[in-house]
Structure formats: structure tokens, C-alpha cells
Amino acid sequence: KYHELGEELDQETAALQRLLPAEELGRLDTLESLYLQRGTIYASQCYAHGFRLGALLTAEVFPDKE
């Protein structure tokens, strides 16, 4: 599904590039960049959350034996 979505995004982007006047293409590039930044931040937050959850679960499974 990931690759299919990538292909569809590429096709839609190419269609918009053909339709938009040259002076508006920069706005499309900006939009793509913003979406990429948002996705990267989201993925990073998901990773950090998963890592914290894993650490908490590990601490629960292996309690301190003092």
C-alpha cells in the first residue's frame, strides 16, 4: 500500500505541475515540503512514544529487587 500511495502522490503532483501556472509552482513545492516536515515530526514522536512505552514495560517486568 505504501508504494501504491507514493505512485498516486507522484501522479497527482505531476498533474498539478502541468495545470498550475509557473509562478504558482513554488507554492506546490512549499506545500510538499510542509507535509514532509509534518510527517517526519509525527514519525519521530511515534518512535519516541514507543521507546518510552517499551522502557516502562521493561521496568515493570523486571522490578528492582532490593
Side-chain angles (χ1 to χ4, degrees), residues 3 10 16-17 19 30-31 36 44 53 57 59 63 65:
H3 293 292
D10 289 343
L16 282 173
Q17 287 173 337
L19 291 172
T30 300
L31 180 64
L36 181 60
S44 170
L53 183 59
L57 287 171
K65 295 183 178 181

Side-chain angles (χ1 to χ4, degrees), residues 3-66:
H3 293 292
E4 292 169 5
L5 286 173
E7 297 261 338
E8 191 173 347
L9 282 168
D10 289 343
Q11 291 172 3
E12 292 300 322
T13 300
L16 282 173
Q17 287 173 337
R18 287 190 298 274
L19 291 172
L20 289 174
E23 59 272 2
E24 295 294 323
L25 290 176
R27 294 184 73 187
L28 181 60
D29 290 339
T30 300
L31 180 64
E32 288 178 323
S33 177
L34 291 170
Y35 274 124
L36 181 60
Q37 287 176 37
R38 184 178 72 167
T40 301
I41 290 169
Y42 178 72
S44 170
Q45 289 174 340
C46 287
Y47 177 83
H49 177 73
F51 188 87
R52 280 192 299 275
L53 183 59
L56 289 171
L57 287 171
T58 301
E60 220 174 278
V61 170
F62 300 107
D64 203 10
K65 295 183 178 181
E66 288 185 26

